[in-house]
Amino acid sequence: MNKNMTRTLRIAFALRNTYRVNAILFSLKQIPLVKKLLPAALYKVRGLKIFANIVSLLWEVISVFLGKFFYLALMVAGSGIFYAKAQPEAVFLHILFFLTLIGAYGNTFLFEPSRDKYYAMILMRMNAREYTLIHYGYRLLKLVVGFLPFMIYFGLRREVPLALLILLPFAIAGMKTAYSATKLRNYERGKGGYNENKLSKGALVLMFLLLAAAYVPPVSGFVLSWKIYAALFVFSLPFGLLGLRKILTFNSYYEVNKELLSDTTLTASSNVWTQAVKQGVEKKISVDTSIKSDRHGFEYLNDLFVKRHRKILWSSTRMISIIILVLVALTLFLLRFIPEEKGIVNQLVMMWLPYFLFIMYAINRGTYFTQALFMNCDHSLLTYAFYKRPDFILKLFRIRLREIMKINAVPALILGGGLALILYASGGTDNPLNYAVLIVSVLCMSLFFSTHYLTIYYLLQPYNAGTEIRSATYRIVTSVTYLVCFFCMQVRMPIMTFGLLTIVFCILYVVIASILIYRFAPKTFKLRA
């Protein structure tokens, strides 16, 4: 590494650490119980800066490993336990192979618009080639180092040979470099740049097909020998090296990144991803002036919002519903032709209802609903005092809760009904009430997440004028929500017990949320700086 590369490396990490430290200090100032204890001139306090630097360093170390652990624990090794019919090492490598193909084009590291790229190459005019290669090399290093220990841990438990497990992280990196190199060659041929945050419909369909290929065939035991998957991974290594050579010799990184970052209008304080999302949302809003409503007051406001944002609010719900229907149909089909699996499936449905709490968390559209509300409605109306009256806030909260419940209830009803059908087809249950509890409890999970995200939106209002999330408390609450749902996946509880607990908890949560909204939202539901 020459002196220029060393200098670029030093500046890049200093820049990254600086805005991360500032973000930590800003977040501390947003926590209600903490901000009163902090001095006004927060950024001048040396001790707090040292603390923020330590937190930044710890988070960087944790981020190397944490995501890889959850990925392998949930998506690969954790999912493999459902497929007892196939060899464990073959299932492990089968799922990993198809998910790696998805990651190769959906998470390239090279074609990802990000804030640090904008700061470095557009604002600070750093050498685009040097910065890109350093950033890309660091991401690949994090991938290999983060995957290696957990790949060995989970792989050995699934009986995969140790030598292959050591090679797998490098093979995963190799697939990424091979695909990225292909996109660079396409750019040289005049086919335009690539943005992994704006995948085409064809790419999304391919992603769905690969996802289905990862998880559906092992149900019937249809997986190739683990040696074939091992050969495919090993075969990707030379292609990865050829791709890496192309990446290192490519000379038009400034043009590629300029095109990548020019999709949005940016300022020094803006977030590339946020702006991209905002523009994407605006394109989907109907501008049909004939859209009208015969309702009045807040019902009129909500009706117009829903009609004009129907594409945003319902498109993903329709897609999720179709996917669930297909999966339920496939499961019923397999149970029809592989009756020996009925006992295992029946036991899974009877005892694994807590597992579906995480699935409902994943498919819930609450975050997108509140983001659309802020971007295209509340962002402007929060400047008016009447909009923050307690009775008006509670009334609009209930109207919006009704709408988001409709959006989330469709896939929830399909999933709950599908699980009831699967339970019946796999041998049924001695207590017919289990069918009703199963359907209602899944609907209540959907209602809980609908209420939860709308409640924290009103009580914490995380967005600033640029639609960036600026509330540390909001991030903490959403992170805790994720962790609770994740740990519920480890719980085994009968349908009746967990289902009734879910229903009661959901009812209590809705009542408590309404009280909190009425009492505190007039003070907390406001624009952030």
Side-chain angles (χ1 to χ4, degrees), residues 157-397:
R157 297 184 67 182
R158 307 301 290 174
E159 302 177 21
V160 180
L162 177 61
L164 177 60
L165 292 172
I166 294 172
L167 286 177
L168 283 177
F170 298 94
I172 293 171
M175 289 190 187
K176 288 185 181 292
T177 57
Y179 184 81
S180 297
T182 302
K183 289 302 176 182
L184 293 179
R185 292 189 186 96
N186 288 343
Y187 183 84
E188 290 178 331
R189 294 167 187 161
K191 295 184 179 180
Y194 179 73
N195 186 336
E196 67 181 54
N197 287 342
K198 290 187 174 182
L199 297 178
S200 65
K201 290 183 179 180
L204 293 175
V205 170
L206 176 60
M207 183 179 292
F208 171 71
L209 292 176
L210 290 172
L211 198 61
Y215 293 112
V216 175
V219 174
S220 58
F222 182 73
V223 292
L224 302 175
S225 168
W226 71 268
K227 294 180 181 179
I228 295 177
Y229 294 113
L232 290 172
F233 276 114
V234 173
F235 195 59
S236 68
L237 290 171
F239 283 96
L241 291 174
L242 290 173
L244 186 60
R245 180 183 177 187
K246 179 61 184 178
I247 290 169
L248 292 173
T249 56
F250 186 76
N251 291 315
S252 300
Y253 281 114
Y254 179 77
E255 291 78 9
V256 168
N257 283 288
K258 186 177 180 182
E259 182 177 333
L260 183 67
L261 299 171
S262 65
D263 290 337
T264 54
T265 303
L266 301 168
T267 64
S269 62
S270 67
N271 183 302
V272 181
W273 167 244
T274 302
Q275 293 293 331
V277 170
K278 187 176 181 180
Q279 286 197 353
V281 167
E282 289 171 350
K283 290 178 182 177
K284 295 179 181 178
I285 299 173
S286 175
V287 293
D288 184 0
T289 55
S290 66
I291 294 177
K292 293 185 170 110
S293 174
D294 56 359
R295 301 183 184 184
H296 302 283
F298 284 126
E299 289 283 3
Y300 173 81
L301 174 67
N302 180 73
D303 196 35
L304 286 182
F305 175 83
V306 170
K307 288 179 178 178
R308 289 175 178 169
H309 296 74
R310 186 172 298 279
K311 190 173 182 181
I312 299 171
L313 300 177
W314 285 96
S315 59
S316 59
T317 297
R318 284 193 293 269
M319 180 60 70
I320 292 169
S321 300
I322 291 170
I323 292 172
I324 294 173
L325 276 172
V326 170
L327 292 176
V328 170
L330 282 172
T331 304
L332 293 173
F333 176 82
L334 291 171
L335 287 174
R336 176 70 176 82
F337 290 96
I338 313 175
E340 61 270 20
E341 299 296 328
K342 286 184 177 182
I344 296 174
V345 174
N346 187 274
Q347 184 67 17
L348 288 176
V349 178
M350 287 294 297
M351 297 298 298
W352 287 55
L353 183 58
Y355 191 96
F356 290 91
L357 183 66
F358 187 86
I359 294 175
M360 294 308 303
Y361 162 83
I363 67 176
N364 188 274
R365 303 291 91 194
T367 302
Y368 298 97
F369 183 81
T370 57
Q371 188 179 53
L373 282 175
F374 182 81
M375 284 182 179
N376 306 298
C377 185
D378 296 342
H379 176 267
S380 300
L381 290 176
L382 276 172
T383 57
Y384 297 95
F386 80 90
Y387 201 63
K388 292 181 279 189
R389 279 179 45 180
D391 52 336
F392 285 179
I393 284 179
L394 184 59
K395 184 175 182 179
L396 190 56
F397 170 80

Side-chain angles (χ1 to χ4, degrees), residues 1 5 8-9 12-13 16 60 68 100 103-114 116-117 120-121 126-145 169-185 194 196 236-237 239-250 253 256-257 260:
M1 186 180 291
M5 290 284 281
T8 302
L9 176 64
F13 278 97
R16 184 183 182 89
E60 187 68 16
K68 311 300 184 298
T100 301
Y105 74 86
N107 187 21
T108 64
F109 298 159
L110 195 62
F111 302 99
E112 175 190 16
S114 60
D116 54 329
K117 289 182 180 179
M121 287 180 276
M126 292 175 64
N127 185 295
R129 182 177 181 277
E130 291 179 357
Y131 180 83
T132 301
L133 292 179
I134 287 171
H135 180 269
Y136 186 68
Y138 179 63
R139 293 291 298 275
L140 287 179
L141 179 64
K142 285 175 64 177
L143 182 145
V144 172
V145 172
F170 298 94
I172 293 171
M175 289 190 187
K176 288 185 181 292
T177 57
Y179 184 81
S180 297
T182 302
K183 289 302 176 182
L184 293 179
R185 292 189 186 96
Y194 179 73
E196 67 181 54
S236 68
L237 290 171
F239 283 96
L241 291 174
L242 290 173
L244 186 60
R245 180 183 177 187
K246 179 61 184 178
I247 290 169
L248 292 173
T249 56
F250 186 76
Y253 281 114
V256 168
N257 283 288
L260 183 67

Side-chain angles (χ1 to χ4, degrees), residues 81-102:
I81 64 177
F82 294 107
Y83 307 117
K85 199 165 185 179
Q87 294 298 319
E89 65 270 29
V91 173
F92 182 90
L93 294 174
H94 172 91
I95 295 174
L96 182 65
F97 178 73
F98 284 100
L99 294 185
T100 301
L101 291 179
I102 295 173

